Amino acid sequence: MIKQIKQFAINMVAGANIATVLLMLATGFSDRLHPGSHPLLSVLGTAFPIFLLLNLLFVLFWITFNWKKLWIPIVGYVLAYVPISTYMPMNQRQDVPEECIKILTYNVCAYGGNYKYEDAFERITDYLRKQQADIVCTQEDVDTWRRYMMNSYQKLYPYNDTTVFVNTAWAFNGMGIHTRYPILRKERIRYPSAANGSIAYFLKRGDDTLLVINNHLENTHLTLEDRARYKTMLKGDMESDTARAESMQMLDKLSQAAAIRARAVDAVKNYMKAHSQYPTIVCGDFNDTPISYSRHALAESLTDCFTASGRGIGLSYNQKGFWVRIDHILCSSDFTPYNCQVDSKTDFSDHYPMFCWLKMRDK
């Protein structure tokens, strides 16, 4: 009798493990779904790390109690290799060759200091001075003292530009580029958005013209109250019925924002297609995780620099309870990326900066 009960329990756990594997695969490959056609399903990638961790717990369980069932979570990890390597690549550090372009993307949070630094602008510009990047793409690169800001940047870089998306009583947003290369021209990529956007810059580097597209895609529209309730759910301090209702409401908000981002990404893809003759770099604050339509759709024709040359999860948004990589750098096949990384020691904004070295391939 005891043996039968034990076997029944093992079968139940095995069934739960198989269900976890299936959910891990479903969430891991949900970035293939267009948010316009599958609004709720397309945002399930946010849950991928949860099932990744649960499957690891099953590994520990089977090692302890029944190693013969260990094949279930291992097969799950093998089948989920693509989303796992996207979410958490494990590349080795590389020697950076000479004549690389160093690209850095940074949401500077309007130089607000991440609610802890009053001299955030000075800290950020000092950080950029030390990084010596060739191209710096910034999001939320706006403030109320723009003349002082631009004067300071002109001491760091010979070529600077800031584009303001919105300047009203309720919102003030824009982004900029600061570079060693002459800016030949810029063009805004048109798509519907109240306060965000994408700017295409054409930069002159030697005999080459580089296309650099800086993006600040639609945010999640989660209010401070939404975020507080989310953290309460994470702590388990919310009743199950309430948590279920809150989860559905949050998923609805996330799916609406994802649909807006999808239209933006489709517009960026069309723009790149129309200008495919240029070596291209796409970067910025996507407000979307590695397992998302936004990142996947661009990575179909570009190389995700962090996936190709980074290491670890690379969390770029540093607010408590929302540790995710939502900043990205991608490049066309004209480049080989090296050592893409997130600088988690630089907390002057609610985002960490991400940078990478790009080597142009021989023509």
Side-chain angles (χ1 to χ4, degrees), residues 74 165 177-178 182 217 265 268 287 302 310-311:
I74 291 177
F165 295 141
I177 189 170
H178 311 284
L217 304 184
V265 167
V268 171
N287 275 306
L302 301 172
R311 184 177 179 85

Side-chain angles (χ1 to χ4, degrees), residues 146-165:
R146 291 174 53 75
R147 182 175 299 178
Y148 171 74
M149 181 188 76
M150 290 307 294
N151 286 342
S152 298
Y153 269 118
Q154 286 167 2
K155 296 176 183 178
L156 295 179
Y157 290 96
Y159 307 101
N160 302 274
D161 181 81
T162 300
T163 301
V164 175
F165 295 141

